[in-house]
Amino acid sequence: GIGIQVIDAEQNVRDEVETRRRQIAVKAASIVEPGNIVLIDGGPIAGYLAGELKQKKDITVITNSAIVFDTLNHTSGITLISTGGTLRDSSQMLVGPTAEGALKDLRGDKLFLMVSGITLAFGLSHHPISEVTIKQAMIRSAREVILLADHTSFGEEAGLQVAPFSIVSKLITDNALPPSIRLSISSAGVQL
């Protein structure tokens, strides 16, 4: 009368992280107000954020993410601007001089930024270089940088620094971030 069930523990962890990423996207969308111009970087939370923004009206979205663009395309109430550029198949992000050049003439109220690694010492880091340079261009085009990151990005350092942690004004993350890291982030003046 005993049944055996094989559980893929790694898949359970991946599913839990995806659930947390969706929750981060819901919170991020909740701070977008009518009239806002938002920049959305490509990354693991970007698609979820785009899905949440479909309910918004009277906003402008500037993105280098093919996934965000496809999700929001033909959504009434949203003006959608693509950076253009060369499509990186692996990340579905538009990169390169064309994309970076387009951002020189654009300004956004909020940038929703995603990176691979976050430490207070090295700051925000990512790889490859083509994605790092477009992230840097987006930072320069934004009035406010809002970092979207689940707990798995913290304590990691990718190969290239995107920016020091001090450029972040708000961090939207999940509740699995250890209290000591939360305290350090709050002490750095970043709103959690």
Side-chain angles (χ1 to χ4, degrees):
I2 297 176
I4 297 176
Q5 181 180 9
V6 177
I7 297 174
D8 184 349
E10 288 182 17
Q11 184 61 48
N12 284 352
V13 170
R14 285 190 298 270
D15 291 346
E16 178 65 26
V17 168
E18 289 306 309
T19 298
R20 291 172 185 271
R21 288 176 175 170
R22 282 187 200 94
Q23 292 168 341
I24 291 167
V26 168
K27 179 61 179 173
S30 75
I31 63 173
V32 175
E33 300 170 353
N36 278 171
I37 299 170
V38 296
L39 293 135
I40 303 177
D41 177 32
I45 301 171
Y48 299 131
L49 177 56
E52 293 298 321
L53 290 178
K54 286 180 78 85
Q55 307 350 294
K56 299 287 183 174
K57 300 291 181 215
D58 189 31
I59 64 170
T60 299
V61 174
I62 303 167
T63 189
N64 68 323
S65 168
I67 294 167
V68 170
F69 192 87
D70 289 344
T71 301
L72 294 176
N73 196 13
H74 304 296
T75 303
S76 65
I78 296 179
T79 301
L80 187 57
I81 300 171
S82 170
T83 61
T86 303
L87 181 65
R88 286 197 78 241
D89 187 51
S90 60
S91 64
Q92 290 295 291
M93 287 173 58
L94 296 164
V95 298
T98 305
E100 293 168 30
L103 288 165
K104 288 179 183 174
D105 297 326
L106 298 170
R107 282 291 168 264
D109 299 307
K110 297 173 172 77
L111 164 60
F112 292 106
L113 180 68
M114 289 147 269
V115 295
S116 301
I118 304 164
T119 64
L120 292 178
F122 191 58
L124 312 178
S125 57
H126 197 76
H127 55 80
I129 194 164
S130 60
E131 291 183 16
V132 169
T133 57
I134 189 72
K135 289 173 187 296
Q136 291 169 336
M138 292 182 107
I139 290 167
R140 288 189 295 274
S141 293
R143 290 181 183 92
E144 178 182 30
V145 177
I146 303 165
L147 183 61
L148 306 181
D150 64 76
H151 68 280
T152 63
S153 297
F154 290 87
E156 300 295 322
E157 290 181 354
L160 300 164
Q161 185 188 57
V162 174
F165 192 79
S166 60
I167 62 107
V168 176
S169 61
K170 292 180 184 155
L171 167 65
I172 302 176
T173 189
D174 59 70
N175 62 3
L177 195 61
S180 60
I181 295 176
R182 287 179 178 272
L183 181 60
S184 296
I185 290 168
S186 293
S187 297
V190 175
Q191 181 183 347
L192 276 166

